[in-house]
């Protein structure tokens, strides 16, 4: 039996916004025995009622921060919900994550934690925390608010600088924060004053490291000849056009100025 609940806490549903799913599964609700409740529990003497049984809980683990967590209990009773893992839930999840159980959402920040932060518990009335129905299939997920992504450009010469040697060949690396889970395609276009070219793929995605490979361009002189008024490039994520970055330069022809001769010395 799980540790006793500590106090009654309000439940807060996460707002409908972009979210990142950390874990998802389907639970086939089992009877865990008199005085325990419904759900799944690795302490059950009946193998089919254990969370580690794939036919009962389709997915019992997730990885966060390089650490694997396994679900050891999901126990529903009248007005109560207990969920336990094999390791302590880190503070970063206890303050930000939301557990979705069917159509109900429970924030971890509104839970009480026990068993060295391995067990999270919610207490309320039957409307706030409905009892899971025996033998029903319930969708579960642990979600995080989606972080805002920022795209930036590390260029040589630096973006925004003045370039007088147009024989220089510029290069750049794109940086995406937070880093993507998989290769992420970026689109680009050249800009010249108030005009711009068509969007197209760079062909060099941003890697899970958060950085693209280095991209070298034609010399500034060639770029300006090919695209009169050329100033630089704009970039955007193919999957989200609102995530953009720009790298432009002020291009000026360099010249060597010969100073006028000094006046002759006075007689």
């Amino acid at each position: 039996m799980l540790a006793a609940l500590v106090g009654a806490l309000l439940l807060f549903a996460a707002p409908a916004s972009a979210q990142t799913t950390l874990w998802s599964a389907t639970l086939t609700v089992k009877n865990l025995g008199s005085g325990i409740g419904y759900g799944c529990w690795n302490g059950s003497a009946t193998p089919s009622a254990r969370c580690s049984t794939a036919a009962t809980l389709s997915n019992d683990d997730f990885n966060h921060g390089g650490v694997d967590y396994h679900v050891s209990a999901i126990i529903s009773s009248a007005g109560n919900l207990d969920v336990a893992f094999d390791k302590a839930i880190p503070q970063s999840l206890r303050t930000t994550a939301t557990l979705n159980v069917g159509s109900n959402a429970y924030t971890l920040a509104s839970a009480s934690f026990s068993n060295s932060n391995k067990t999270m518990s919610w207490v309320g009335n039957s409307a706030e925390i409905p009892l899971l129905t025996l033998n029903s299939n319930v969708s579960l997920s642990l979600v995080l608010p989606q972080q805002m992504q920022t795209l930036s450009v590390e260029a040589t010469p630096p973006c925004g600088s003045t370039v007088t040697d147009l024989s220089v060949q510029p290069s750049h690396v794109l940086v995406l924060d937070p880093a993507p889970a998989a290769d992420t395609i970026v689109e680009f276009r050249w800009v010249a004053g108030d005009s711009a070219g068509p969007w197209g793929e760079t062909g060099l995605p941003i890697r899970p490291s958060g950085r693209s490979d280095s991209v070298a361009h034609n010399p500034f002189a060639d770029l300006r000849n090919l695209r009169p008024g050329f100033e630089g490039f704009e970039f955007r994520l193919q999957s989200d056009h609102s995530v953009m970055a720009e790298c432009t330069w002020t291009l000026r022809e360099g010249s060597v100025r010969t100073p006028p001769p000094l006046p002759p010395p006075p007689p």
Side-chain angles (χ1 to χ4, degrees):
M1 182 65 181
L2 297 177
L5 302 179
V6 182
L9 297 171
L10 294 176
L11 306 178
F12 299 93
S17 60
Q19 295 177 324
T20 298
T21 300
L22 192 61
W23 167 72
S24 63
T26 299
L27 170 67
T28 301
V29 180
K30 302 296 184 180
N31 186 345
L32 304 178
S34 177
I36 299 177
Y38 292 159
C40 66
W41 180 33
N42 284 352
S44 175
T46 305
S48 64
R50 296 171 188 168
C51 301
S52 56
T53 300
T56 298
L57 186 64
S58 63
N59 177 23
D60 76 336
D61 72 304
F62 68 93
N63 184 282
H64 177 68
V67 178
D68 287 322
Y69 298 86
H70 288 80
V71 179
S72 57
I74 302 170
I75 300 179
S76 170
S77 56
N80 297 329
L81 177 65
D82 299 340
V83 179
F85 294 88
D86 64 335
K87 299 179 183 70
I89 301 300
Q91 179 69 17
S92 60
L93 294 184
R94 299 202 304 269
T95 57
T96 60
T98 297
L99 177 68
N100 295 313
V101 181
S103 60
N104 295 285
Y106 308 100
T107 63
L108 272 61
S110 66
S112 62
F113 285 83
S114 58
N115 190 24
S116 299
N117 290 324
K118 296 178 183 178
T119 302
M120 48 192 175
S121 305
W122 292 267
V123 179
N125 58 48
S126 58
E128 294 170 330
I129 311 177
L131 179 67
L132 297 181
T133 304
L134 181 62
N135 296 325
S136 64
N137 293 321
V138 180
S139 61
L140 307 169
S141 63
L142 187 65
V143 299
L144 292 170
Q146 190 175 55
Q147 293 176 275
M148 296 297 294
Q149 290 182 302
T150 58
L151 183 65
S152 58
V153 187
E154 295 178 359
T156 303
C159 302
S161 62
T162 298
V163 178
T164 56
D165 182 0
L166 301 189
S167 68
V168 168
Q169 185 178 11
S171 63
H172 77 268
V173 172
L174 297 174
V175 181
L176 185 62
D177 183 38
D183 285 0
T184 298
I185 300 299
V186 176
E187 298 175 336
F188 86 108
R189 65 181 179 180
W190 55 266
V191 294
D194 294 332
S195 63
W199 287 103
E201 292 184 11
T202 64
L204 291 172
I206 298 177
R207 308 298 185 183
S209 65
R211 301 173 66 86
S212 71
D213 297 333
S214 179
V215 180
H217 302 278
N218 293 336
F220 282 112
D222 291 349
L223 291 169
R224 196 164 71 164
N225 287 334
L226 289 170
R227 303 175 180 90
F230 172 84
E231 295 180 348
F233 300 98
E234 288 181 332
F235 305 90
R236 70 184 185 186
L237 296 188
Q238 188 180 70
S239 59
D240 186 350
H241 292 173
S242 68
V243 181
M244 300 183 67
E246 180 183 83
C247 187
T248 59
W249 300 270
T250 299
L251 304 180
R252 294 177 182 167
E253 291 282 5
S255 62
V256 178
R257 181 175 179 271
T258 303
L262 294 174

